[in-house]
Amino acid sequence: MGTSLQILDLSLPIGSLDIYIQKVNRIALLSAEEEYTYAQRLQQQGDLEAARALILPHLRYVVRIARTYSGYGLAVGDLIQEGNVGLMKAVKRFDPEMGVRLVSFAVHWIKAEIHEFILRNWRIVKVATTKAQRKLFFNLRSAKKRLGWFSQEEIKEVANDLGVTPREVELMEYRLNAQDEAFDGIPQEDEAFSMTVAPADYLADNRYNPEQTLELNNWSQTSTQRLHDALDALDERSRDILEQRWLADNKATLHDLAAIYNVSAERVRQLEKNALSKLKAHMLVPA
């Protein structure tokens, strides 16, 4: 067990990924008994040296897994780093009583961290947010039998294999083949002869037009003021009827107001109608 605890300098200067890989491949693997002993020490005593002894021999597996994702255009060194994070999470959660080796348990955590890193960095806009979309993202490339777009038969076959709809396959294929585009476009040396149309040229945002905003605010203020002036012009009883019938949170009925003013419900309805007519006439008078 002593060889697994040897002090190794794994800090890397820039550009020395090959040296790192050579170092981790030279670390001796653990036997099942050694792995069980270290895992128990970590689980029962929180022994960080035991955690280190579990992590170091498994770094080679992270390298192997990370290399399988090199086709996504991201630096392999970054993929390895994220995979190492997954390995450390796996070691923390590993239970030696489960009856499986750590490498089998850690594969899921290593891939999960690498997947998350790829999805965060592959495009500016996320291409996969749901579980089904993530599954499609990482399986669609390997499902391609040739270059170019899928045929309808291939789409149906992939959809059936992955348990998704053909429409989801089509959308993910489009996302994988699309490229990020700068909102303001790419600067051209001679703008006079540039035929490139940037999204800024056709994705206009009219929600915050200053002229419209000012006009709406003025209209709202004017309408509110006119309403208050019109209500003030009514007699007290008519104004109270309108306020209780239209402006109160708990609106009164005709019979409620009839009981208050000791008149019939029909009379209250007439007073309300007359008050509304006066209110409308006052609101329509030009300022």
Side-chain angles (χ1 to χ4, degrees), residues 56-285:
L56 292 180
H58 291 84
L59 293 175
R60 66 179 67 195
Y61 298 111
V62 176
V63 172
R64 293 178 190 175
I65 294 172
R67 279 177 160 174
T68 64
Y69 293 94
S70 59
Y72 290 95
L74 300 173
V76 175
D78 291 338
L79 297 175
I80 292 173
Q81 178 175 303
E82 295 299 319
N84 287 343
V85 173
L87 173 61
M88 288 186 285
K89 289 183 177 180
V91 168
K92 183 179 179 181
R93 293 167 174 80
F94 181 59
D95 183 357
E97 304 299 335
M98 290 190 300
V100 298
R101 296 297 299 271
L102 175 57
V103 64
S104 300
F105 178 77
V107 166
H108 164 77
W109 293 94
I110 295 169
K111 287 185 175 181
E113 289 297 319
I114 293 176
H115 286 185
E116 186 64 30
F117 176 75
I118 292 173
L119 291 173
R120 286 198 314 266
N121 295 277
W122 194 66
R123 290 280 190 271
I124 295 176
V125 179
K126 286 188 175 180
V127 296
T129 54
T130 67
K131 184 177 180 180
Q133 288 175 347
R134 288 169 179 251
K135 184 178 180 181
L136 268 174
F137 179 86
F138 289 105
N139 286 277
L140 210 56
R141 286 192 174 190
S142 59
K144 275 186 175 292
K145 297 178 180 178
R146 57 178 176 78
L147 295 175
W149 293 83
F150 279 126
S151 65
Q152 287 301 313
E153 292 74 16
E154 289 172 329
I155 289 175
K156 292 178 181 178
E157 182 180 343
V158 171
N160 184 61
D161 290 342
L162 300 180
V164 296
T165 64
R167 178 58 178 165
E168 288 175 308
V169 176
E170 291 175 346
L171 288 174
M172 183 53 66
E173 184 184 23
Y174 174 77
R175 292 181 181 183
L176 287 172
N177 285 282
Q179 297 293 326
D180 291 332
E181 185 175 358
F183 181 74
D184 294 319
I186 301 174
Q188 302 292 323
E189 292 183 3
D190 191 343
E191 295 184 2
F193 296 96
S194 173
M195 300 299 292
T196 303
V197 179
D201 297 329
Y202 58 83
L203 294 179
D205 185 356
N206 297 318
R207 292 175 300 167
Y208 308 109
N209 185 295
E211 181 181 353
Q212 293 179 352
T213 301
L214 179 61
E215 183 180 349
L216 289 173
N217 288 340
N218 287 341
W219 181 87
S220 177
Q221 292 173 4
T222 301
S223 298
T224 301
Q225 186 60 47
R226 283 192 176 187
L227 177 60
H228 286 297
D229 293 344
L231 287 171
D232 290 340
L234 297 175
D235 62 86
E236 185 177 348
R237 182 174 66 173
S238 297
R239 183 168 62 252
D240 182 58
I241 289 174
L242 284 186
E243 288 177 348
Q244 294 204 51
R245 289 279 290 158
W246 294 92
L247 303 178
D249 292 332
N250 297 318
K251 295 178 175 55
T253 65
L254 293 175
H255 292 285
D256 292 335
L257 294 171
I260 293 174
Y261 289 106
N262 197 26
V263 294
S264 66
E266 176 60 24
R267 178 56 180 158
V268 174
R269 188 192 66 78
Q270 292 174 355
L271 290 170
E272 178 187 29
K273 182 179 179 181
N274 291 336
L276 286 172
S277 297
K278 292 179 181 179
L279 207 65
K280 182 178 179 180
H282 194 285
M283 294 288 289
L284 293 175
V285 174

